[in-house]
Amino acid sequence: MSLANGRSYLAIPGPSVMPDRVLQAMHRPAPNIYSGELVDLVASVVPDLKAIAGTNHNVAIYIANGHGIWEAALANTLAPGETVLALATGRFGAGWAEMAARIGINPRVLDFGLSATYDLEVIKEVLRADTECEIKAITTVQVDTSTSVRNDIKALRDAIDEVGHPALLMVDCIACLGCEEFRMDDWGVDVMIAASQKGLMTPPGVGFVFFGPKAAEARNGLNQISAYWDWNPRANPDEFYQYFAGTAPTHHLFALREALTMLVHEEGLENAYARHKTLARAVWAALEAWGKEGSIALNIADESLRSFVVTSVNIDAPNATALRDYLTENLGVTLGIGLGMAPSGSPEWHGHFRIGHMGHVNAHMVLGVIGCIDAGLKALNIQHGSGAMDAAVRVIAEA
Ligand SMILES: *Cc1c(COP(=O)(O)O)cnc(C)c1O
């Protein structure tokens, strides 16, 4: 029986749920793009973005998704033929390296597998061996959205400093910015990238590159950079149109303004971080209960390495696909596919799914998803431990 009619819930890790206020802010005619309200609005979002990033330095805004922002960050820091050390802890760390290769940068990938963080000893060894300093930058993700691992960025910075290697540290926070703590300046991050459609609760299409003084120096040392990717005019425009190298993404900016108001000025970042952490703990508690019988398991076993914005789950194939389909068709909740965990088209691909819990999510939404997964496991006769709902409810009640 279908019980899907009603407000549906896309519980995938991006695009995340957009607040009605954010959507409504877009429902209006285009503003003048040369003067007036839009100019003031952009001036007002810049400090809020920097506050979320924890930086006093620069931000360049692009009309792009995450892939575009990957390229923007690389195009401003590395020349073709130069080497980047890419730390892969899932599909997204690897994906950034693939983008580098396509524009002639030489990626050296250190792959740490699909259910772990990076090994700092291995990284230090590679950096120590790089006596000619051929590695110009190190790329990593704070949260890899495919595996749901959270990497310790401060510990990575300390490891680089311990070796004394001069490479830039570049961090992808696309999944988690605004939902998990990030302190760009305090943690010594040179470049940080983010996008609108995950923790920032805004439709996909706008991305951000934050950069500090060392990265600015790298940009200024390049022989050539495309007029479109160049972050200098975007970060320090003489004329308004230079913020976007052309027409501003007017409606995305109205949406972003509203989202930043909600996140930074109304809820407050610390409260948003605490909310995400508690909601994530409710999801984990449910998964641990289900996992007591049958094959269902959290992809990241070590709790201290689990992201607060997305949870990757493994289960005997093809039960992940069966469960996802059942929930979408019958219960009005859509879970995320497994990404990068098994080759697409292989039988194993159907043994992974993800729960997105980033951005505009609260207790009843997360409990609803858990209850629907529980119903799906029962309806499909998939073996699982009992007490998941109760375990999740207890996390919420005790928060
Ligand atoms: C979503 C995501 C990306 C890619 O973003 P797109 O907008 O899909 O191009 C890159 N990195 C991380 C960590 C992500 O979560």
Side-chain angles (χ1 to χ4, degrees):
M1 169 180 189
S2 179
L3 298 167
N5 289 314
R7 180 168 288 207
S8 58
Y9 175 14
L10 186 66
I12 70 173
S16 64
V17 173
M18 291 157 210
D20 290 346
R21 278 171 60 185
V22 168
L23 296 173
Q24 282 154 7
M26 303 177 81
H27 198 75
R28 47 161 300 168
N32 187 351
I33 56 164
Y34 300 103
S35 64
E37 148 186 49
L38 188 71
V39 175
D40 298 338
L41 185 150
V42 171
S44 81
V45 302
V46 166
D48 285 351
L49 290 168
K50 290 183 185 176
I52 299 176
T55 187
N56 289 318
H57 300 302
N58 309 281
V59 60
I61 309 177
Y62 294 84
I63 302 175
N65 63 14
H67 283 66
I69 293 307
W70 273 342
E71 182 158 337
L74 295 164
N76 278 281
T77 47
L78 293 129
E82 288 187 333
T83 297
V84 63
L85 185 68
L87 310 180
T89 52
R91 185 86 266 307
F92 289 97
W96 202 356
E98 288 158 15
M99 290 296 286
R102 291 294 297 272
I103 55 172
I105 294 162
N106 170 31
R108 270 182 69 184
V109 180
L110 291 181
D111 191 343
F112 298 97
L114 296 175
S115 56
T117 185
Y118 35 58
D119 181 339
L120 294 172
E121 293 310 314
V122 171
I123 296 167
K124 282 191 277 188
E125 207 174 298
V126 169
L127 293 177
R128 275 200 198 96
D130 183 37
T131 50
E132 305 293 315
C133 295
E134 280 177 2
I135 296 166
K136 299 295 180 209
I138 300 167
T139 57
T140 188
V141 291
Q142 185 181 19
V143 166
D144 199 299
T145 322
S146 61
T147 58
S148 70
V149 73
R150 183 194 326 97
N151 296 311
D152 186 338
I153 302 301
K154 173 70 168 60
L156 175 59
R157 172 82 265 169
D158 291 345
I160 299 167
D161 288 349
E162 198 185 311
V163 177
H165 198 287
L168 296 172
L169 175 55
M170 315 220 298
V171 183
D172 172 347
C173 294
I174 291 173
C176 54
L177 192 72
C179 310
E180 302 209 25
E181 183 184 28
F182 187 82
R183 302 191 181 282
M184 178 164 167
D185 294 356
D186 290 352
W187 295 351
V189 172
D190 299 298
V191 175
M192 186 272 276
I193 61 171
S196 53
Q197 78 269 26
K198 298 186 185 177
L200 298 179
M201 310 183 290
T202 299
V206 181
F208 314 97
V209 181
F210 299 87
F211 60 98
K214 210 168 117 187
E217 219 176 283
R219 149 66 191 86
N220 293 333
L222 293 177
N223 287 331
Q224 190 183 326
I225 169 121
S226 89
Y228 192 77
W229 286 135
D230 190 0
W231 66 28
N232 278 347
R234 290 174 185 266
N236 296 293
D238 295 320
E239 305 267 0
F240 180 73
Y241 80 92
Q242 293 176 317
Y243 269 116
F244 305 101
T247 304
T250 48
H251 289 70
H252 274 79
L253 291 167
F254 289 128
L256 181 66
R257 177 61 274 162
E258 195 66 21
L260 294 175
T261 297
M262 293 173 73
L263 182 61
V264 181
H265 300 290
E266 293 178 5
E267 181 173 21
L269 288 172
E270 296 301 326
N271 291 332
Y273 301 155
R275 169 169 56 88
H276 282 90
K277 181 174 181 178
T278 300
L279 296 176
R281 286 179 49 237
V283 171
W284 307 339
L287 279 157
E288 277 156 11
W290 287 321
K292 292 205 173 103
E293 285 173 56
S295 73
I296 196 163
L298 285 144
N299 185 50
I300 302 297
D302 181 346
E303 184 172 333
S304 70
L305 299 177
R306 290 180 202 150
S307 165
F308 300 146
V309 298
V310 55
T311 299
S312 297
V313 183
N314 305 322
I315 189 169
D316 282 345
N319 284 336
T321 299
L323 195 62
R324 281 193 304 100
D325 289 348
Y326 178 85
L327 262 66
T328 298
E329 284 161 25
N330 299 292
L331 306 183
V333 175
T334 297
L335 302 173
I337 58 168
L339 200 66
M341 301 299 291
S344 61
S346 70
E348 297 75 36
W349 189 87
H350 301 280
H352 308 274
F353 71 90
R354 292 175 299 161
I355 306 166
H357 35 92
M358 57 181 60
H360 194 56
V361 285
N362 58 22
H364 80 74
M365 294 163 79
V366 164
L367 291 176
V369 169
I370 292 165
C372 287
I373 294 173
D374 205 46
L377 292 169
K378 289 175 169 61
L380 298 171
N381 288 315
I382 298 169
Q383 196 189 12
H384 62 281
S386 60
M389 200 66 210
D390 199 50
V393 164
R394 221 169 304 125
V395 171
I396 300 295
E398 287 165 10

